[in-house]
Amino acid sequence: MPGKQQAISASDFFVLTGTDGRFYLISRMGKIEKKVEAHRGAVLAARWSYDGTALATVGEDGQVKVWSRSGMLRSTLGQSSTPVYSVAWGPDNNVVLYTSGKHLILKSMQAGNAKPLQWKAHEGLILKVDWNPVNNLILSGGEDCKYKVWDGYGRQLYSSAAHEYPVTSVAWTPDGELFATGFFNTLRLCDKAGWSHALEKPSTGSVMNIAWSVDGTQVAGACGNGHVIFAHIIERRLEWKQFELTVASRKKILVRNVTDDAREKLEFRDRIVKVSLLCAHLVVATTSQCYVYSVKNWNTPMIFDLKQSVSLIVQAEKHFLLVDSIGISLYSYEGRFLSAPKYNGLRPNVLNHQTISLSNDTVAIRDKNDEKAVYLFEAHTGKAMADGKPLLHKMEIVEIALDQHGPMPERRVALIDKNRDLYLATVRTFATTHKVVKLAVMIQTMAWNDDTNMLAALQDGHFTVWYYPNAAFVDQALLSKTFLEKDSSEFGKNPLILSFLGCHVTMRRVDGSLVSTSISPYPSILHGYVANARWEEAIRLCRFVKETALWASLAGMAAYARELATAEIAYAAVDEVDKVNYIQYIKEQPSKEARNAEMALFAGSAQDAEGIMLQGGLTFRAIMMHINLYNWDRALELALKYKTHVDTVLGFRQRYLVKFNKTETNKRFQQYADGVEIDWAKIEAKIAMEEEKERDGRKR
């Protein structure tokens, strides 16, 4: 039975397995380079690792073996009491998946590792498995006439209904977006979520094996009657606002504007590989060229040549990126090359829409080698942010998404980790660490709005939209008041958010059908007013609508923009009396720097507040802030560095210890306590002088 040849670089030969217990390494020219005695009985399957350095074989003897590229035995990974019919490699080539009767087994390649993960996957013999390195999902099919999708931990994500015949073959497309399954006289094309795209009924007997082309546009099937069938994916459909797009054939796309029923036919020289429609532009990658169309003009696309087959297109408002086997390339919609972000260990062949994100100024990439790390780059230059240091999360990240609006210093990236918890993180660090705030738990899917920085998500039976998620960095208490939540049972179980355009959210149910829902237009209008600093109109809108979520969003926006008058009104509207009082206190501060620093402190960032104070020459205020926050070491450090108010720090420290009946244990304070006289009359006089100096600065 033929083994499956993997798409690997520098592939000089392929493997052929035989019923005689051997496998054969055969050159491109058809010459048998080597015969290897591998199993007792037939060798039922063989798979190259994704890096092409190892070969796994399984056979009728129930053994699972790993061989070097040259055919030398490395190890016998497992022994089953029944024949092993199929084998697959994990995404990192360090785990092997194989069948054992009705069970699936995951076995690590590392010696002395934990025992294999095993689970009952089917009610009948499992005949075929596949494991995709991009989406990290497992596919299985068996004699119970079902095919199933699993995650890398053995949790079932989808199970088909029982079909008329056993599932004899399964295979993922290279990009992990689709898979094909083979039965008797049947070839089925499915979405990665499990629902069926298309069904063909060739009269060829059972489809015993399936292989995809490297670009994922063509599939070949080895059939029970000795024939090989070939198929090409067509009828792919995309929608964006009023435009519908259909890939009608291998080299033709049909576009329809539903508002006026205007139609366009776009024809290409070569086979279409990837298509993306977003942000008023259509990007089409063929086998050799990239075409960029504006939805305002379908007649004159920008065209440039490609060096490699494109595996992914990601679009933002001002530019787009292409991913191929070599790396990542950013282009403007005029076809001009912008940058090529990269870092050590980048594996572009395993990137998808969940692990790379693009905004007008930033590229974010979840690292495959360390899934807790997200690398951030400036889009126009490809330069790494934070001196090349990644944003590090405490747990493996499964999905990332950059917000799409606002200036670069305000850019945020949303993260979903392995526990399905949703976090929001700052992109710019300004010599500090990334701030990361938890927004929600049990998140299934998320999407940013195309016009504003609203965030939609589905979580544990609820559909949620955060009108102003940045409130997490301004005033966390506001966050619980700035979102819409409603029951999601009408969308079915585990739907996927496809888009969040304007006030409309489009989702796909598990059966493949589309469903949409709408939100209020007022949050979007509010974002527009605030973006243009039209605060009076924002207040009038909130007074008209009379919704707490809108007032709370305005409070957060005004606090972030340090628009104190608007913030005071908005906080009063949501009954935050203590914060209204504090804002009034901030308004009374004598200098702009002091007000900005107090607002930073209001947002919970003492570090930012300190930076503002020191930059504005308010050293005493910075020292007093740390004293009031009981950050004694930092207060003393600043006093020593600027050679001022050392006695003030020591005096307040002494009062603190007396009040709580404690003795001094801090060695730094012990060191300076003996040499500095604590004279409260002098300290109070210095404090009064500092306050007077601030007031005088205000008058000037």
Side-chain angles (χ1 to χ4, degrees), residues 375-390:
Y375 285 88
L376 299 161
F377 301 88
E378 293 178 1
H380 287 278
T381 63
K383 180 182 176 184
M385 297 183 190
D387 299 322
K389 296 175 184 175

Side-chain angles (χ1 to χ4, degrees), residues 492-507:
K493 186 180 178 183
N494 297 329
L496 175 70
I497 297 178
L498 296 181
S499 64
F500 185 7
L501 302 178
C503 304
H504 302 282
V505 181
T506 303
M507 288 169 265

Side-chain angles (χ1 to χ4, degrees), residues 101-104 119-127 140-148 150 156 159 162:
K102 301 176 182 179
H103 293 77
L104 290 177
W119 71 96
K120 184 179 179 181
H122 288 261
E123 293 301 322
L125 202 64
I126 302 172
L127 300 177
S140 63
E143 287 190 343
D144 60 357
C145 305
K146 294 180 180 180
Y147 56 87
K148 299 184 180 184
W150 314 83
Q156 182 178 298
S159 174

Side-chain angles (χ1 to χ4, degrees), residues 5-33:
Q5 183 187 355
Q6 303 294 306
I8 55 176
S9 58
S11 178
D12 299 322
F13 44 77
F14 64 93
V15 64
L16 191 72
T17 64
T19 56
D20 57 358
R22 298 176 179 175
F23 67 81
Y24 302 82
L25 296 178
I26 302 175
S27 72
R28 288 171 177 261
M29 304 303 294
K31 180 184 176 184
I32 297 176
E33 299 288 342

Side-chain angles (χ1 to χ4, degrees), residues 41 123 164 181 422 455:
E123 293 301 322
E164 191 176 353
T181 59
L422 174 64
L455 179 64

Side-chain angles (χ1 to χ4, degrees), residues 110 132 209 340 384 414-415 523 537 698:
Q110 298 172 359
N132 187 267
N209 207 8
L415 317 168
E537 289 166 83
R698 180 182 185 178

